[in-house]
Amino acid sequence: MKQANNDDIRRDILESLFSAERILIVGHMNPDGDSLGSQLGLAKALERRNAQFAIINEGIIPNNYLFLPGIDAVRSVDEINADGQEFDLAVCMECSNRDRIGRVDKFIHNGCRIVNIDHHSDNSKFGHLNLLDFSAAAAGEMVYELLVAGGVDITPEIATNLYTAILTDTGRFRFNSTTPKCLRIAADLMEKGADPSHITDMVYFNQSIGSLRLTGEVLLGLEYHLDNRVCFMTITDEMLQRNNSGKEDTEGLVNYTLRAEGTKIGALFSEREAGITKVSLRSVNDVSVIEVAARNGGGGHKNACGCTLNVGIEEARVKILNDIRELLHGSI
Ligand code: 5GP
């Protein structure tokens, strides 16, 4: 059977979006800038067409994204009763597999069609319509192309959301996922009303004092292994409490693990709940850590991925250090 190309898929998705009765928009658990910006960019476009939709996510919205236009519409899965919530279309944004939407899955009943929009190369194509582009720097870039294909007027609100998605998933246009195409899209979004200076300030330079002090404590606790090629960062609930901070203040901290000269791999260990540890993995361009995430049931991109281990932080650190040692010795 001939593989549909992305132009055809975009057309089918637009038809589905414009004919659906009620749309569920969802991103991956613990939303980040790309997931939120992409969901809200799409939502703002649907709003202009008077489409009925709800945005439901699992996990805390990081404080630095509370400025995004439309953010108040993002509901937590914990505050909505699934009874009586009927959707005939679900758009899953930036999820490499269906598990990534977490408990929001309970809102997707039989008969609900699923649109999967993602740029992770390990995407399992779990949707009825799968818009995948592994060369896209961010899902926000793909939503931009979708809206342009649909002739949607890009308003300043849509532009702000999509610009934020691209800005954050490229690490401020720094990662090697940054392409001329994504810079052109960012430039167009600026012309359509996104304000790069304001957005960068809101995302990166608007921290609470507690979260700055948390950063200080976290940096003091950095640990280096394997000749400084590996850096481990740990954030415990006690550290959050001590610094009057919450999980919503930890966004982006993992990137400090790659700051030291010669460090190739970074890992952040944080407590999800007692006995469950979330691991965020990062690596420099020429090293892939996705094998470590995949080996532990996670996934993502080659230089930025994650997994969740059903053990406490100490055990998780031992396991991940062993896996990284094997990775660096070429045995995984
Ligand atoms: P973070 O470490 O910031 O949570 O995530 C980095 C990247 O890896 C993101 O693209 C995120 O979607 C992906 N990711 C994080 N944890 C998981 C996981 O458990 N499974 C999969 N498939 N992807 C993950």
Side-chain angles (χ1 to χ4, degrees):
M1 196 178 76
K2 187 176 168 290
Q3 187 76 26
N5 69 32
N6 275 353
D7 286 340
D8 295 339
I9 295 168
R10 271 189 282 270
R11 194 199 52 229
D12 292 348
I13 291 177
L14 288 161
E15 269 174 31
S16 301
L17 286 170
F18 296 151
S19 62
E21 290 195 1
R22 191 152 183 262
I23 304 164
L24 169 67
I25 303 176
V26 54
H28 57 74
M29 288 175 280
N30 304 310
D32 60 11
D34 188 22
S35 164
L36 288 168
S38 300
Q39 292 178 77
L40 290 169
L42 175 66
K44 284 285 166 196
L46 291 174
E47 208 171 73
R48 289 173 65 75
R49 297 187 67 114
N50 295 319
Q52 297 299 307
F53 64 85
I55 313 174
I56 309 177
N57 282 208
E58 177 176 340
I60 297 166
I61 298 176
N63 279 337
N64 54 336
Y65 299 123
L66 294 179
F67 77 100
L68 288 174
I71 194 78
D72 290 346
V74 182
R75 311 288 300 278
S76 161
V77 66
D78 296 314
E79 67 183 54
I80 302 186
N81 189 335
D83 296 343
Q85 295 281 346
E86 289 297 334
F87 299 101
D88 54 337
L89 190 72
V91 181
C92 299
M93 203 66 86
E94 237 226 328
C95 296
S96 43
N97 57 64
R98 191 163 160 178
D99 290 348
R100 296 282 294 142
I101 66 175
R103 287 178 288 118
V104 182
D105 206 310
K106 68 183 175 202
F107 294 93
I108 303 180
H109 301 145
N110 285 345
C112 175
R113 282 172 64 75
I114 297 178
V115 170
N116 163 19
I117 300 178
D118 188 31
H119 66 136
H120 292 100
S121 57
D122 58 346
N123 191 286
S124 67
K125 301 191 181 160
F126 60 90
H128 296 97
L129 292 168
N130 299 291
L131 182 61
L132 303 177
D133 181 353
F134 308 143
S135 69
E141 192 179 312
M142 300 173 67
V143 173
Y144 168 91
E145 290 182 313
L146 179 70
L147 299 185
V148 168
V152 173
D153 188 21
I154 307 282
T155 62
E157 289 190 319
I158 296 174
T160 299
N161 279 304
L162 298 183
Y163 184 94
T164 305
I166 297 171
L167 176 78
T168 55
D169 241 35
T170 56
R172 293 184 246 183
F173 305 110
R174 178 178 154 259
F175 301 152
N176 69 351
S177 53
T178 308
T179 59
K181 181 175 158 194
C182 104
L183 290 170
R184 280 191 198 100
I185 292 175
D188 190 50
L189 292 170
M190 184 176 176
E191 282 175 347
K192 300 280 182 347
D195 178 342
S197 163
H198 174 68
I199 294 172
T200 305
D201 278 356
M202 295 310 283
V203 176
Y204 298 104
F205 298 94
N206 193 34
Q207 281 179 264
S208 69
I209 293 169
S211 100
L212 267 182
R213 293 202 193 288
L214 173 71
T215 306
E217 183 173 346
V218 167
L219 293 184
L220 280 174
L222 288 182
E223 279 178 25
Y224 289 87
H225 302 277
L226 307 179
D227 296 327
N228 298 341
R229 284 178 298 166
V230 178
C231 174
F232 277 5
M233 174 183 275
T234 301
I235 303 180
T236 62
D237 286 348
E238 293 79 61
M239 290 162 87
L240 297 177
Q241 278 156 20
R242 246 195 315 277
N243 294 289
N244 201 16
S245 308
K247 290 203 164 66
E248 63 279 15
D249 295 307
T250 60
E251 168 86 357
L253 281 181
V254 63
N255 296 317
Y256 281 101
T257 57
L258 293 182
R259 288 266 187 126
E261 189 182 2
T263 301
K264 305 273 187 199
I265 296 177
L268 161 61
F269 298 83
S270 49
E271 288 174 330
R272 181 126 294 164
E273 52 190 87
I276 301 185
T277 304
K278 155 90 184 148
V279 185
S280 284
L281 291 157
R282 297 292 183 272
S283 62
V284 295
N285 284 340
D286 53 337
V287 175
S288 169
V289 267
I290 196 158
E291 294 77 7
V292 174
R295 187 183 243 204
N296 291 286
H301 305 285
K302 85 183 202 349
N303 301 130
C305 47
C307 52
T308 300
L309 274 61
N310 290 327
V311 293
I313 286 191
E314 271 320 307
E315 222 177 303
R317 285 157 53 92
V318 172
K319 168 85 173 75
I320 295 293
L321 186 59
N322 273 331
D323 288 348
I324 292 176
R325 189 179 286 115
E326 288 184 22
L327 177 83
L328 292 175
H329 288 162
S331 43
I332 53 172

